[in-house]
Amino acid sequence: MRIEHIHLQQISLPLRSPFVTAHGITKQRVTTLLTVYLNNGYSGVSELPAFTDSRYLPETQASTWLTLQQEIVPLLRHFEFTTPQEVAQYLQRYLRGHQLARAAMETAIWAAYALKLRQPLATLIGGAVRPIPVGISLGHYTEWSILVKQVKAAVMAGYRRVKLKLTKPADVDQIVALRQLYPRLNLMVDANSAFTLADLAQLKKLDRLNLKLIEQPLAADDFVEHAYLQRQLKTPLCLDENIHSLADVKTAAALKSCQAINLKITRVGGLTAALDIVKYCQQHRLLVWCGGMLGSGISRAFDLALASRPEFTLPGDISASQRYFEQDVLTQPLTLQQGCLKVAPTPGLGVQLDRQRVQQTLKQETWLI
């Protein structure tokens, strides 16, 4: 196989309500759809879900476009391969970092490859075509009444796990009060690095709430202080922003920095790297679960395929299309049924782009080859 054409389409999707985290407020989700066309007649679409600024990750929409144009396309222009893994290995060998850009290219090839083999992507990567229990990630709400309303709506909708964002140590008091209302709720929190070890007293308050996980309490480049904190708490810590590769997972395991990994396909460089991390976590008894990056239904379809593997026992952040967006870019939105999203049995990614909707939300586009 060889790549003949690459099409980038940057779109802007309005959110149903602002999504608030320690990194800031998102009202419009600017993201990029990447379609790769192979010389065998097959094509695949993926998503480049970098944000417009570098508050969450170093890669941004602007920088990933440049990386694709100036580095990845020249590397792959005449490269011939038989599997997506070969593309992942080739890019890793000649391109340092740039995980989001690499992942967008590699996952699009996975989608095309699954079509070529006439298999659903989920089964091709060791998963199964079945309903996948999913959770929901709620942004931070300053007003108590709104927070309670959002949690109640998530519970009524059937989500199997609720994750709440913390923006500062004082937000812990909200979680204490909420736990009193929902003593049996499968609940976790995500601080997006809003704490330091000076906030140990507040973190110990969380530790008494029977939470499933405490995600990324400390700095995004830290493993040592997380290891110290994990020894102080009985609640498992989960690392997210500082997991960019299998090497990072190995560091976390060696230092005992956490007991769980939030695995995001795009943040680790693609499906090939993600599958290696899943295998390592299984061997070393680390809980691994599937996170998201506020992506469109394209990203969620890839996440569903990965989460269909048997290692994923904790419901991931793979909400229904209507959870975030006024209108998704899929012809058939992902719909929650009894707390689950269904993996489609059709070959390939299992979802189709709504081309009209893409055009309505289009900001810019280009053909790279």
Side-chain angles (χ1 to χ4, degrees), residues 19-21 56 134-141 147 150-151 154 159-166 175 178 185-192 211-216 238-241 262-264 267 289-293 314-319 323-324:
F19 191 70
V20 182
T21 74
Y56 178 71
V134 296
I136 189 171
S137 177
L138 298 176
H140 176 70
Y141 297 94
L147 172 64
Q150 292 293 325
V151 173
Y159 282 104
R160 304 291 184 89
R161 191 261 311 142
V162 174
K163 183 171 84 174
L164 300 177
K165 294 285 189 176
L166 303 177
I175 309 302
L178 188 73
L185 179 63
N186 192 4
L187 181 65
M188 62 181 287
V189 295
D190 181 6
N192 293 117
L211 301 176
K212 192 71 179 179
L213 298 170
I214 298 173
E215 184 177 342
Q216 201 66 47
C238 173
L239 293 186
D240 177 16
E241 282 97 322
N262 179 340
L263 180 56
K264 294 176 179 172
R267 197 193 53 229
W289 63 284
C290 194
M293 284 186 59
L314 180 68
D317 290 338
I318 319 173
S319 310
R323 156 68 186 105
Y324 294 110

Side-chain angles (χ1 to χ4, degrees), residues 196-270:
T196 70
L197 288 180
D199 304 308
L200 185 58
Q202 289 294 87
L203 289 162
K204 286 190 173 181
K205 281 186 183 180
L206 291 173
D207 197 37
R208 295 191 285 269
L209 299 181
N210 191 30
L211 301 176
K212 192 71 179 179
L213 298 170
I214 298 173
E215 184 177 342
Q216 201 66 47
L218 307 178
D221 58 356
D222 168 75
F223 292 95
V224 175
E225 290 189 352
H226 275 101
Y228 171 81
L229 180 60
Q230 182 65 93
R231 292 195 298 270
Q232 309 305 309
L233 306 177
K234 65 178 185 296
T235 306
L237 296 185
C238 173
L239 293 186
D240 177 16
E241 282 97 322
N242 46 5
I243 302 299
H244 302 273
S245 65
L246 176 59
D248 290 333
V249 178
K250 289 180 177 180
T251 298
L255 295 177
K256 296 182 170 55
S257 303
C258 64
Q259 297 179 39
I261 298 294
N262 179 340
L263 180 56
K264 294 176 179 172
I265 297 169
T266 51
R267 197 193 53 229
V268 300

Side-chain angles (χ1 to χ4, degrees), residues 317-335:
D317 290 338
I318 319 173
S319 310
S321 295
Q322 68 173 7
R323 156 68 186 105
Y324 294 110
F325 304 114
E326 294 287 353
Q327 186 179 346
D328 205 345
V329 292
L330 304 181
T331 56
Q332 295 292 327
L334 299 173
T335 304

Side-chain angles (χ1 to χ4, degrees), residues 21 30 40 65 156 219 232 326:
T21 74
V30 176
N40 58 12
W65 277 55
M156 294 296 292
Q232 309 305 309
E326 294 287 353

